[in-house]
Amino acid sequence: MLVQVEGISHRGEGVARINGKAVFIPYAIPGEQVQVEIERDHKRFARGRLVGLGSASPDRVEPICPAYYDCGGCAYQHLSYSKELELKRRVVGDNLRRLGGIETEVQPVIGMPDPWRYRNKVVWHTGKINGRMDLGFYREASHNLVPLHGCTLIHKDMELIQKSLADNLSALEVEPGVDFTLRRSSRTGHMSLIYSGNCNKQALISWALSLPGKVSIHIKQANGIETFHGDTYLEEQLCGIVFRLSPLAFLQVNHQQTEKLYQLILQYGSLKGNEQVLDAFCGVGTITLSLAGHASQVTGVELYPGAIEDAKHNAVINNIHNVDFYAGPCESIIAKLNQQFDVVVLDPPRAGCQKKTIQAIVKTGAKRIIYVSCNPSTLARDLKVFTSMGYVITTVQPVDMFPQTHHVECVVLMSRVEK
């Protein structure tokens, strides 16, 4: 049937309405008329498959990746980058209104001059295709392997590793179900390969030595991670600060946009040099240490002890002394600190914050709170709580940390309402 696409979902799908019911249509663009077949009809919504175009959007383009419609890792390669940024801004505003009851201006999304080859991390899966071992990605919402030996989102050095690894799976005695994670340092070009499952360690070392770049090898096991070839860490640099990252440490996947993000955080903090700053969900201390030179004291809190060990080490190698790091749940540590802070920065995981974490942050009396989020829906939910507890939203600034995908990062500045 022919339908008019009116909206966009948080997953980058076009949204039409049939008899008042929302129909989600992958690869359809708002403004288009499309032929659609209903694949799944639920009580409150339906999912459709795009089978033809009645009228195509002027923003529709040919995807660069030949596996785009099969892989499912990207959501926006079928439209122009300027339109992608426009739709992501729309998604953020829709989530704030619908889930948070928040009416506020959303700034235009900060994009990239070249929105390709930006990822510094990738995960590959292995399995048998027609009786032969192969390497690739899982189709969306499944464990069905899409065999791919290239990806337009990762650095070309990483793509070379992908192709070489795929060609040597048999020689490396890789068994089905082995997962490989590759990370690359933007500073040095060195790479770190982490795998879980069974393969031939010695063959893997010999393969790594044959590569043109420097690649360390680590195995992830139930009791932790073991490095058996190369360095135990990667070295990265952000905003002039050097960071050593253990193999499982979290780091944003887009180096260029991360630096823009951190510049925004510094700008919104309006630090004069005498402030007490709290960095909740601090990870390995990237934000903590980038703010330390502009504040009196910065306190970082993170659940994972390994990340805190990395953060403390990073403070030492950068000769930064006005920081403290604590390992444990943010809501518990912040409450135990029982300290007043001038500025709070929080960058929680996709699930957002627990309400008691928000309550603990509010009790610090911070005049400014800077919330960094990669999930507009949980962001909207949490902002609703903050605004109910005496804060007003000053700025909502999306940053395109993940071009071509449906994900979008946001930096939100909140100010305390003076009684």
Side-chain angles (χ1 to χ4, degrees), residues 234-405:
L234 277 183
E235 196 172 85
E236 190 55 271
Q237 182 170 323
L238 285 165
C239 301
I241 299 172
V242 175
F243 296 92
R244 288 185 178 177
L245 305 168
S246 55
L248 298 180
F250 171 78
L251 186 70
Q252 295 280 9
V253 300
N254 188 328
H255 183 270
Q256 183 178 339
Q257 295 294 84
T258 299
E259 291 207 322
K260 293 179 184 178
L261 182 75
Y262 287 6
Q263 289 163 6
L264 281 172
I265 293 171
L266 180 60
Q267 174 188 332
Y268 292 168
S270 300
L271 301 175
K272 302 294 189 290
N274 59 348
E275 293 87 355
Q276 296 286 325
V277 179
L278 171 66
D279 180 14
F281 309 95
C282 70
V284 298
T286 51
I287 294 175
T288 313
L289 299 179
S290 69
L291 296 177
H294 307 272
S296 174
Q297 187 78 19
V298 187
T299 301
V301 181
E302 167 61 45
L303 176 63
Y304 300 104
I308 288 296
E309 289 305 310
D310 282 346
K312 290 178 178 179
H313 186 74
N314 288 327
V316 170
I317 64 175
N318 286 280
N319 200 29
I320 295 174
H321 304 290
N322 61 329
V323 292
D324 290 313
F325 290 105
Y326 298 91
C330 283
E331 63 277 8
S332 301
I333 298 296
I334 295 170
K336 287 178 182 177
L337 288 173
N338 193 26
Q339 181 180 344
Q340 295 291 293
F341 290 97
D342 301 294
V343 177
V344 172
V345 180
L346 62 153
D347 186 3
R350 287 187 60 79
C353 295
Q354 297 183 38
K355 189 171 182 179
K356 54 187 176 181
T357 304
I358 296 175
Q359 292 169 337
I361 289 171
V362 170
K363 285 182 180 179
T364 68
K367 295 179 181 178
R368 292 181 297 282
I369 296 176
I370 303 163
Y371 193 138
V372 181
S373 170
C374 61
N375 187 340
S377 61
T378 56
L379 171 66
R381 179 201 67 199
D382 291 349
L383 292 183
K384 184 177 182 179
V385 180
F386 274 113
T387 55
S388 73
M389 300 181 74
Y391 285 83
V392 61
I393 296 170
T394 304
T395 307
V396 178
Q397 177 61 71
V399 179
D400 195 22
M401 192 74 73
F402 318 97
Q404 316 308 327
T405 78

Side-chain angles (χ1 to χ4, degrees), residues 23-228:
V23 181
F24 299 100
I25 312 164
Y27 315 119
I29 303 172
E32 291 184 326
Q33 281 189 327
V34 300
Q35 290 285 346
V36 63
E37 286 183 357
I38 302 300
E39 292 188 316
R40 282 175 284 171
D41 195 359
H42 302 276
K43 184 176 180 180
R44 298 179 60 188
F45 68 94
R47 303 197 68 81
R49 181 171 67 90
L50 180 66
V51 295
L53 295 173
S55 61
S57 167
D59 291 294
R60 183 171 285 277
V61 299
E62 190 66 25
I64 287 179
C65 177
Y68 171 59
Y69 292 110
D70 196 28
C71 171
C74 294
Y76 283 122
Q77 284 199 29
H78 63 286
L79 76 169
S80 67
Y81 187 50
S82 59
K83 188 67 173 179
E84 175 185 344
L85 297 180
E86 176 190 323
L87 292 181
K88 286 182 172 178
R89 181 188 189 187
R90 183 170 168 180
V91 165
V92 173
D94 288 348
N95 274 270
L96 292 179
R97 281 188 295 274
R98 182 171 55 87
L99 301 176
I102 297 168
E103 292 286 347
T104 189
E105 182 183 5
V106 177
Q107 298 298 314
V109 183
I110 298 175
M112 298 185 70
D114 182 11
W116 304 96
R117 304 286 182 192
Y118 62 86
R119 287 193 65 96
N120 59 33
K121 179 183 177 183
V122 64
V123 179
W124 300 304
H125 310 287
T126 61
K128 285 193 174 182
I129 305 291
N130 297 323
R132 179 181 176 274
M133 281 294 298
D134 217 328
L135 178 81
F137 304 110
Y138 286 146
R139 285 188 178 89
E140 188 176 13
S142 80
H143 282 79
N144 298 324
L145 189 68
V146 179
L148 291 175
H149 300 171
C151 176
T152 54
L153 300 191
I154 62 176
H155 193 279
K156 287 186 176 180
D157 289 352
M158 301 171 74
E159 192 174 61
L160 290 174
I161 299 294
Q162 184 178 4
K163 292 176 180 177
S164 177
L165 190 57
D167 290 341
N168 287 279
L169 289 175
S170 295
L172 299 174
E173 301 177 18
V174 175
E175 295 185 359
V178 172
D179 292 336
F180 291 97
T181 300
L182 184 70
R183 304 178 69 167
R184 180 183 181 275
S185 165
S186 303
R187 182 172 192 256
T188 64
H190 295 167
M191 286 179 273
S192 175
L193 185 70
I194 307 163
Y195 77 94
S196 59
N198 295 321
C199 66
N200 187 318
K201 282 188 180 182
Q202 196 54 50
L204 200 59
I205 293 173
S206 298
W207 168 78
L209 290 171
S210 72
L211 298 170
K214 184 177 179 180
V215 181
S216 300
I217 308 290
H218 319 269
I219 180 171
K220 185 180 179 182
Q221 300 169 319
N223 59 348
I225 194 159
E226 175 193 351
T227 300
F228 62 88

